[in-house]
Amino acid sequence: MKNTAGLLVLICLTASWVSADEVELPKEPVVVSDYQPDPLEPQIIIRSGENATFYEYRVNGELVEIKVVPSVGLEYYLVPAQGGGWIREDETRILVPSWVIFRW
């Protein structure tokens, strides 16, 4: 019982020592998401550059293709080369399943 009372006094003294003026609050609200993507599912990470936007396509955590959309000009794709480095392509190599459900 004595230890609990001593601990309570210590907490009260510590709480009174820290004032609300010393606590720095964030200027923007902090949003915490419970969503965690499955690492085995394909992911797209979008990065904005100075002259282009980059879309990184990852499968199982491995970078398989980068779509580059420049602010001026046509979009193109960068795909990994066999010996390392990247090859520039005009079309994507990624196959996306698509089905026709209705046709008029």
Side-chain angles (χ1 to χ4, degrees):
M1 201 58 140
K2 279 185 172 182
N3 290 340
T4 306
L7 182 60
L8 184 59
V9 169
L10 181 61
I11 291 173
C12 291
L13 289 174
T14 305
S16 64
W17 178 66
V18 176
S19 68
D21 296 333
E22 295 176 11
V23 177
E24 189 172 323
L25 298 174
K27 295 177 183 171
E28 295 181 15
V30 177
V31 178
V32 178
S33 174
D34 292 335
Y35 172 73
Q36 296 295 324
D38 186 3
L40 299 178
E41 290 184 11
Q43 296 176 337
I44 300 173
I45 300 171
I46 303 171
R47 300 185 193 277
S48 296
E50 191 171 308
N51 298 322
T53 303
F54 304 94
Y55 297 82
E56 297 179 357
Y57 297 94
R58 295 179 182 272
V59 177
N60 296 329
E62 181 182 340
L63 184 60
V64 295
E65 185 176 88
I66 301 173
K67 178 181 178 182
V68 180
V69 181
S71 56
V72 176
L74 298 174
E75 62 188 39
Y76 59 92
Y77 299 87
L78 298 174
V79 293
Q82 287 288 343
W86 296 88
I87 299 173
R88 182 176 172 162
E89 298 280 339
D90 293 332
E91 295 181 4
T92 182
R93 290 187 182 177
I94 297 176
L95 298 176
V96 178
S98 61
W99 298 272
V100 176
I101 297 178
F102 292 105
R103 187 169 286 183
W104 298 93

